[in-house]
């Protein structure tokens, strides 16, 4: 390397190092929550044998009880902003002489910060958005109480088909266990996003029917329209919607999506005002949805007798897309309707 190029190489190395540091810090922030109670002496913590949120909404707890602890009862507490949820812990002796404190409960999102958030009798703990501290209270035989934290667990590193963290498949909220900077377990609750969730799409010989629901709707059903948007060209073809509560169904406007014998790709979405919601499968723990949810090509006959070769599929981002091309004699619907 010549001396003239040396300053450029040094500068490139410094920039690469700064980028690596920023990325590492960003990853740490994603999995780390702030410390609570700064300046307070370190608290004791129980070590979890298992601590997870399974299925996006079921909290599972199994804590190792110290051998010297004399415990008559115990409970788990989730605390945030003066509000505390209490969950009884069961004492389970193990064959090796150890004892576990276990509990399982459903988690439920609520946006009522000052109310009881009981969800009209719905099961589970109603949690508002934010960070919830996880702690235990051990009660001795004489009634004395000892409060301890719960140590954080490492997020499992996996590259399989299932992600270690997934949203609530029913409500769309995210319940995620994190680690505080002082090493304690914290539960982060995030509100569901406004989105159109795909339930099914049925491939028939004369149509494709899409069924789904709107999560966290921001307008009444009449404010939404279904449409197919062609990639690259910007052509838009609308379809009539049918509603049942927050659930919708419509047939893809295939007659308007074909343009001679030229293949086009279309994104399927709901339009609400200026907001376009791509319909997709997002409330799932599948990591590579395009590789797991596989679909076949289908020959579909339109009402005028023309034939289409259609492929409805899930993209890598989880969105529903359609590729279609007409055989000879198919109408130029997309060009005439837009």
């Amino acid at each position: 390397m010549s001396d003239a190029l040396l300053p450029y190489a040094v500068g490139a190395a410094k920039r690469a190092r700064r980028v690596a540091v920023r990325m590492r810090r960003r990853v740490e922030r994603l999995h780390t929550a702030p410390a609570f109670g700064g300046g307070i002496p370190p608290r004791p913590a129980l070590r979890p044998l298992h601590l997870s949120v399974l299925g996006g909404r079921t909290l599972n707890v199994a804590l190792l009880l110290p051998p010297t602890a004399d415990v008559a009862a115990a409970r788990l507490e989730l605390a945030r902003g003066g509000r505390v949820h209490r969950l009884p812990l069961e004492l389970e002796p193990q064959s090796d002489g150890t004892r576990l404190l276990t509990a399982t409960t459903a988690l439920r999102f609520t946006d009522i910060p000052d109310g009881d958030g009981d969800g009209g009798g719905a099961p589970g703990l109603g949690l508002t958005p934010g960070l919830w501290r996880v702690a235990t209270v051990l009660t001795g035989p004489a009634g004395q109480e000892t409060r301890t934290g719960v140590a954080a667990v490492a997020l499992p590193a996996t590259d399989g088909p299932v992600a270690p963290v997934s949203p609530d498949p029913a409500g769309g909220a995210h319940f995620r266990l994190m680690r505080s900077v002082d090493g304690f377990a914290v539960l982060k609750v995030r509100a569901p996003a406004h989105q159109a969730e795909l339930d099914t799409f049925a491939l028939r010989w004369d149509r494709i029917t899409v069924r789904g629901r709107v999560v966290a709707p921001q307008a009444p059903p009449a404010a939404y329209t279904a449409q197919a948007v062609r990639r690259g060209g910007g052509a838009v073809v609308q379809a009539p919607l049918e509603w049942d509560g927050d659930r919708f169904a419509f047939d893809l406007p295939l007659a308007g999506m074909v343009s001679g014998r030229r293949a086009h790709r279309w994104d399927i979405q709901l339009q609400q005002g200026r907001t376009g919601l791509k319909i997709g499968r997002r409330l799932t723990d599948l990591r590579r949805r395009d590789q797991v949810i596989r679909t076949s090509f289908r020959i579909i006959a339109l009402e005028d007798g023309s034939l289409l070769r259609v492929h409805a599929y899930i993209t890598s981002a989880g969105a529903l897309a359609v590729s279609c091309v007409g055989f000879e004699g198919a109408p130029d619907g997309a060009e005439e309707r837009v």
Side-chain angles (χ1 to χ4, degrees):
M1 181 183 298
S2 66
D3 294 340
L5 296 178
L6 184 59
Y8 297 98
V10 173
K14 290 182 178 179
R15 288 192 295 271
R17 185 159 46 271
R18 286 196 296 267
V19 170
V21 170
R22 286 198 299 268
M23 292 299 297
R24 185 178 67 252
R25 290 176 177 172
R26 182 180 179 185
V27 172
E28 290 175 350
R29 285 196 299 268
L30 288 175
H31 298 283
T32 305
F36 294 96
I40 298 177
R43 297 173 294 155
L46 294 184
R47 183 169 66 88
L49 185 65
H50 180 85
L51 182 61
S52 67
V53 177
L54 298 179
R57 56 181 173 178
T58 304
L59 177 64
N60 293 272
V61 181
L63 305 174
L64 285 170
L65 191 63
T68 58
D70 191 5
V71 175
R75 67 177 183 268
L76 186 76
E77 290 190 349
L78 299 178
R80 177 180 181 270
R83 188 178 181 190
V84 180
H85 287 285
R86 298 173 176 87
L87 182 67
L89 291 168
E90 294 186 9
L91 183 61
E92 296 186 5
Q94 304 299 299
S95 58
D96 59 357
T98 60
R99 294 174 297 169
L100 294 180
L101 297 174
T102 64
T104 299
T105 185
L107 302 176
R108 177 174 43 82
F109 174 80
T110 178
D111 55 0
I112 308 175
D114 299 323
D116 55 11
D118 60 2
L125 302 180
L127 302 179
T128 53
L131 296 175
W132 290 79
R133 291 175 289 177
V134 183
T136 59
V137 178
L138 308 180
T139 304
Q144 71 278 16
E145 291 187 344
T146 303
R147 185 177 302 274
T148 68
V150 175
V153 295
L155 189 68
T158 176
D159 195 31
V162 177
V165 179
S166 61
D168 177 3
H174 285 72
F175 303 97
R176 181 178 184 177
L177 286 165
M178 303 179 67
R179 177 189 183 278
S180 67
V181 294
D182 49 356
F184 291 96
V186 178
L187 181 64
K188 182 179 181 179
V189 181
R190 193 177 73 190
H194 183 209
Q195 57 190 306
E197 178 70 7
L198 174 68
D199 287 340
T200 61
F201 58 93
L203 304 175
R204 298 184 174 89
W205 65 272
D206 63 340
R207 72 190 69 183
I208 297 178
T209 302
V210 177
R211 300 184 183 277
R213 57 193 172 96
V214 176
V215 179
Q218 298 182 0
Y224 294 88
T225 58
Q227 59 187 26
V229 181
R230 192 171 68 192
R231 296 184 185 178
V236 177
V237 184
Q238 294 189 351
L241 267 173
E242 296 181 1
W243 288 93
D244 181 11
D246 62 349
R247 298 185 177 273
F248 59 83
F250 63 94
D251 292 335
L252 288 179
L254 295 174
M257 295 167 59
V258 63
S259 179
R261 300 187 65 179
R262 182 180 177 185
H264 292 288
R265 297 180 184 272
W266 300 76
D267 293 312
I268 313 304
Q269 66 180 36
L270 295 185
Q271 188 73 24
Q272 185 262 316
R274 296 184 177 181
T275 302
L277 302 175
K278 288 187 178 181
I279 301 173
R281 183 65 63 87
R282 299 178 181 86
L283 305 184
T284 176
D285 60 355
L286 294 178
R287 186 189 297 272
R288 301 180 180 90
R289 283 153 286 189
D290 58 327
Q291 298 182 16
V292 176
I293 306 175
R294 307 302 294 268
T295 58
S296 60
F297 288 80
R298 179 63 61 93
I299 304 299
I300 293 181
L302 300 180
E303 291 184 357
D304 61 0
S306 57
L307 300 177
L308 304 181
R309 186 172 185 263
V310 180
H311 184 209
Y313 61 96
I314 301 296
T315 68
S316 59
L320 174 63
V322 176
S323 173
C324 62
V325 61
F327 292 97
E328 187 173 357
D332 292 340
E335 301 300 331
E336 297 175 356
R337 287 170 170 76
V338 181

